[in-house]
Amino acid sequence: MITALDHIAIAVPDLEKAIKRFMEDFGLTFEGTEDVASAKTSTAFFPLPPTSIELIHPLNGEGPVQAFLDKKGGGMHHLCFRSDDLDADIARLREKGYQFLSDEPSIGAHNCRVIFIHPKSCDGVLIELNQPSDDHH
């Protein structure tokens, strides 16, 4: 079951500049950065309980976020819903005809299991589902 809005991800062309904006201009707490090599993405987290804002930037100038920036220049990239039973949610949504970008979940930031729903299944919005590992709240 989906239990929360885990994060809103914003693709940014300049990660350091965007981190500074969210910290200094908006006064948000910066939780640090994490590189997710499998997704070719650098991420920066700003917890805003019960959700967070995740800034995403291409790792080594390649990957899907780079393609997004090349096309759009930056902006809202995806919404992530937290799940307490990812496998059950995937099965339920597949049954309803949702298409996913992968067959199985992978490991994302914070060691969460993650999977993405194809934007064409959701009115053009990329939706991520994640299930936190036991060691991340």
Side-chain angles (χ1 to χ4, degrees):
M1 193 173 92
I2 290 169
T3 59
L5 175 64
D6 188 84
H7 63 264
I8 295 167
I10 301 166
V12 298
D14 183 333
L15 188 58
E16 293 310 313
K17 186 176 171 190
I19 287 171
K20 208 172 162 188
R21 172 187 306 119
F22 278 84
M23 277 175 66
E24 296 177 6
D25 301 348
F26 297 149
L28 301 184
T29 303
F30 177 48
E31 197 179 65
T33 59
E34 182 180 341
D35 290 346
V36 184
S38 61
K40 297 183 173 167
T41 307
S42 291
T43 60
F45 296 97
F46 293 87
L48 212 56
T51 188
S52 66
I53 292 171
E54 176 185 83
L55 303 179
I56 57 175
H57 182 78
L59 190 58
N60 306 321
E62 56 182 17
V65 178
Q66 185 63 59
F68 179 91
L69 289 173
D70 290 344
K71 191 173 166 186
K72 301 196 171 166
M76 241 284 301
H77 187 266
H78 66 267
L79 291 181
C80 177
F81 292 120
R82 190 175 311 144
S83 170
D84 58 6
D85 187 343
L86 190 59
D87 298 310
D89 280 328
I90 292 167
R92 179 176 58 80
L93 292 167
R94 272 211 173 106
E95 225 169 76
K96 291 180 173 286
Y98 284 83
Q99 293 185 339
F100 290 82
L101 296 185
S102 58
D103 292 330
E104 295 294 328
S106 59
I107 300 298
H110 301 312
N111 213 26
C112 292
R113 291 175 68 226
V114 306
I115 195 164
F116 287 87
I117 299 172
H118 197 292
K120 70 182 178 193
S121 293
C122 293
D123 301 307
V125 178
L126 181 62
I127 302 279
E128 178 184 10
L129 301 176
N130 80 3
Q131 184 170 5
S133 61
D134 293 333
D135 61 356
H136 181 76
H137 306 292

